[in-house]
Amino acid sequence: MNRQKTLFHNRRITPSSRKVYLPACFRSVHKTRTGKTMRISVISGSPKGEKSVTLQYVRFLEEAFPDHTFTVIHAGRDIRAIEHQEEAWNGLLAAVKDCDGVLWATPVYVMLVPAQLKRFIELVGERDVEGAFSGKYAACLTTSIRFFDHTAHAYLHGICDDLGMRYVGFCSAHLEDLRNEAFQEQLILFFTDFLEAIAERRPIQRVFPPLPAPSSPYAPVTPPAAVDTRGRRVVILHDTEPGSGLAAMVGGLAACYGDSVRVAHIRDAAMKGGCLGCCRCAFENTCVYDDGFLAFWEEYVAPADILVMAGTVRDRFLSAAWKQFFDRSFSNGHVPAFAGKQIAYLVEGPLGHLATLREVLDGLAAMEGANLAGIVTSESGETDAALHTLAERSVRLADRGYIAPPTFPAVAGHKIFRDEIWGGMRAIFKADDRYYRQHGLYDFPTRDYRQRIVTRATSLAMSIPAVRRDVVKNMPDYMIQPLEKAIESSRVLAKRKAER
Ligand SMILES: Cc1cc2nc3c(=O)[nH]c(=O)nc-3n(C[C@H](O)[C@H](O)[C@H](O)COP(=O)(O)O)c2cc1C
């Protein structure tokens, strides 16, 4: 059977087909206490199909657990056929219905799963086939550089809860972890636990509460008051359906900004498809697709001082179309694509119940070097006022050049990117490497020679008992001492700012 061409395949590993070398110490670990052969449906999210890095982790499991069968559904690679060919759809549904457990095996793409897998999940809801998944045990295996992997896991967990599945847990692998024996051992333990949960019919509690029923769509009550945009370039991107509550929100916000706003549907980017994960963009940040995405980006996103993105909640995220837009922006590499901009979102749907979605929206703005000016949802009864406040605030903050200092996700994210790019990716991700050099983003503490000398000298001084006693006694004073100079200069700075 040609595996590249089949939508999914089902195979029992025979000893002669084994390619992965399993260290002797693991050969006994894989035996579960149950002895029953389990049928596992693997829902693969990678558009790369058989060449997916994540799928190699599944192959490893197949080798390690030869008594169980694995059926791979290439949701990421075959999403077009799955959406448009009945045979493909029915075949995969039968595989899910027939299995004992579902393993979501997917790369993390822009803090979530790839748009193609997102679309697959939407189809399950749209076609009302939740019943095929309900009651199944589920687990999730991701590969990534562990940047916002937790949001991808939380999303899939929420989806499993919504589908009535029994979510056992996740394994988050760095894309190179499979080479590491200690990791291999953990992967086997993870999967053993999954199989045992199925065999024991282990009770699993729901973690993410069901989402509330959709509220009535937003309809404006008070006419929007205009805001002086003072020459700021404002862009609203959206994926509205005509006559929807989101369309009314976009219209309301656009009216606040008046004539200077540009409004565009992301459909107009004329994307031919989702990110292929090929990483050919790495050298020069140029995508292999020859479609309208880049021109759309250059026309709307790049010049905007204030960029508003408007979307409707579909399952537990925005639409797959928005996800595709985010994924395709990966061709910008790790260069902060929104640097210096004010970012805002309009969200139609129960955002207050979707902490993960909010975290991703916050994270997108922060990681891309922008300031989050605000998020307006359709949930509260004060949407008119919120839209006006957002318009006003975004202009004010743009005028003042305010970019909120980063919090943990952006600080941690920067360090992950910096270490990954410098530590190896720069051999291929040339454009990133150039940007990181030019903008001083390789800011390793080891390169701060002055600080290293001060630290060494202080450390030596601490070996003198009298000095150490004094520091211990007066620690709070020593901690605030270096800040006193800044406080002294604060009045001058505030005055200078006010005069500008
Ligand atoms: C479009 C795109 C977006 C990505 N976004 C993330 C991300 O948000 N976090 C992360 O840790 N890795 C991210 N990665 C890296 C992939 O998760 C990683 O390379 C993964 O191993 C690819 O698996 P696959 O070969 O199975 O598709 C991204 C890669 C691509 C191509």
Side-chain angles (χ1 to χ4, degrees):
M1 189 172 8
N2 183 344
R3 274 206 256 130
Q4 297 291 344
K5 293 219 171 100
T6 51
L7 202 57
F8 50 89
H9 71 279
N10 185 335
R11 64 176 187 152
R12 220 42 205 272
I13 299 286
T14 57
S16 60
S17 70
R18 290 183 192 173
K19 289 195 205 91
V20 180
Y21 168 70
L22 272 186
C25 56
F26 298 151
R27 290 205 184 117
S28 58
V29 181
H30 67 259
K31 285 205 177 2
T32 62
R33 282 178 278 139
T34 61
K36 183 181 175 249
T37 295
M38 298 293 177
R39 289 154 303 169
I40 304 299
S41 272
V42 178
I43 302 184
S44 167
S46 176
K48 292 191 283 184
E50 292 294 332
K51 298 228 168 107
S52 150
V53 168
T54 319
L55 206 64
Q56 309 318 305
Y57 289 65
V58 175
R59 298 293 173 230
F60 176 89
L61 291 173
E62 284 183 308
E63 298 290 332
F65 295 86
D67 297 336
H68 305 284
T69 60
F70 293 74
T71 303
V72 179
I73 296 165
H74 283 292
R77 186 191 67 185
D78 297 330
I79 190 61
R80 286 230 171 106
I82 289 171
E83 185 157 8
H84 300 294
Q85 294 172 15
E86 210 180 323
E87 195 190 343
W89 176 251
N90 291 339
L92 76 84
L93 265 195
V96 172
K97 276 185 196 150
D98 193 41
C99 77
D100 299 300
V102 170
L103 179 67
W104 302 88
T106 180
V108 177
Y109 271 17
V110 191
M111 307 176 176
L112 210 83
V113 301
Q116 295 89 333
L117 181 56
K118 173 75 177 55
R119 182 65 195 134
F120 173 80
I121 292 165
E122 287 180 7
L123 287 174
V124 171
E126 284 171 19
R127 296 178 179 179
D128 231 0
V129 294
E130 290 92 340
F133 294 80
S134 180
K136 303 282 180 203
Y137 280 81
C140 131
L141 167 63
T142 62
T143 66
S144 67
I145 58 167
R146 294 209 184 92
F147 166 74
F148 279 82
D149 51 346
H150 65 296
T151 42
H153 302 144
Y155 169 73
L156 282 174
H157 191 163
I159 294 298
C160 287
D161 282 352
D162 290 346
L163 292 174
M165 303 177 89
R166 300 162 207 261
Y167 184 87
V168 179
F170 64 83
C171 177
S172 181
H174 183 280
L175 61 108
E176 289 179 0
D177 275 346
L178 198 57
R179 304 194 320 201
N180 175 326
E181 254 186 47
F183 172 83
Q184 293 172 4
E185 189 171 0
Q186 294 305 317
L187 181 58
I188 285 174
L189 293 178
F190 156 75
F191 201 69
T192 302
D193 180 56
F194 180 44
L195 293 175
E196 287 173 354
I198 303 171
E200 294 161 8
R201 306 298 300 158
R202 201 181 287 163
I204 306 273
Q205 283 189 319
R206 180 173 187 139
V207 168
F208 294 89
L211 295 175
S215 50
S216 47
Y218 161 74
V221 182
T222 45
V227 165
D228 179 2
T229 55
R230 296 195 278 278
R232 298 285 157 197
R233 289 161 297 187
V234 187
V235 170
I236 305 178
L237 301 182
H238 64 92
D239 69 341
T240 60
E241 305 283 342
S244 63
L246 184 66
M249 288 171 80
V250 168
L253 185 65
C256 293
Y257 286 122
D259 291 341
S260 46
V261 69
R262 300 187 70 204
V263 181
H265 198 294
I266 55 169
R267 183 201 311 121
D268 297 339
M271 288 177 274
K272 284 184 182 159
C275 174
L276 301 169
C278 64
C279 287
R280 292 195 185 102
C281 53
F283 291 93
E284 295 304 329
N285 286 357
T286 318
C287 184
V288 290
Y289 273 114
D290 179 18
D291 61 13
F293 181 78
L294 181 62
F296 185 88
W297 187 275
E298 293 297 327
E299 170 147 12
Y300 292 105
V301 179
D305 299 313
I306 299 167
L307 177 66
V308 184
M309 292 175 271
T312 302
V313 172
R314 304 233 182 273
D315 55 65
R316 289 182 171 262
F317 195 73
L318 302 182
S319 67
W322 258 120
K323 188 64 188 36
Q324 179 167 299
F325 191 86
F326 295 145
D327 289 358
R328 288 289 303 274
S329 73
F330 184 75
S331 56
N332 290 312
H334 299 84
V335 171
F338 297 156
K341 296 184 195 302
Q342 297 296 321
I343 296 290
Y345 300 97
L346 305 183
V347 177
E348 181 185 41
L351 184 65
H353 298 260
L354 292 167
T356 302
L357 172 56
R358 184 174 279 274
E359 191 177 354
V360 170
L361 297 180
D362 286 357
L364 275 174
M367 275 317 297
E368 297 293 343
N371 183 57
L372 182 64
I375 304 181
V376 174
T377 77
S378 57
E379 292 167 304
S380 91
E382 296 169 335
T383 312
D384 289 338
L387 289 172
H388 183 262
T389 303
L390 175 65
E392 207 174 39
R393 182 164 193 253
S394 60
V395 173
R396 202 182 319 126
L397 295 181
D399 255 3
R400 294 175 183 170
Y402 179 69
I403 303 291
T407 58
F408 168 70
V411 174
H414 163 64
K415 289 178 197 287
I416 288 178
F417 285 171
R418 180 193 67 188
D419 291 4
E420 289 284 342
I421 295 170
W422 193 86
M425 279 167 64
R426 67 193 158 120
I428 307 286
F429 283 73
K430 299 275 184 204
D432 283 347
D433 183 42
R434 264 197 310 276
Y435 187 89
Y436 269 59
R437 280 180 200 287
Q438 283 163 4
H439 293 80
L441 294 177
Y442 288 134
D443 54 356
F444 302 101
T446 47
R447 294 194 175 170
D448 189 343
Y449 293 103
R450 192 181 156 273
Q451 183 58 45
R452 283 171 65 181
I453 291 166
V454 170
T455 305
R456 189 87 191 109
T458 312
S459 181
L460 282 173
M462 288 309 120
S463 55
I464 303 167
V467 176
R468 187 178 164 137
R469 266 197 306 279
D470 174 63
V471 170
V472 169
K473 191 170 156 218
N474 299 305
M475 188 74 91
D477 292 321
Y478 282 116
M479 284 168 79
I480 61 169
Q481 218 171 48
L483 308 177
E484 278 164 7
K485 223 166 133 192
I487 296 169
E488 280 162 25
S489 64
S490 82
R491 281 193 188 196
V492 182
L493 190 70
K495 205 168 153 219
R496 218 184 296 148
K497 270 261 171 210
E499 283 164 4
R500 265 195 219 148

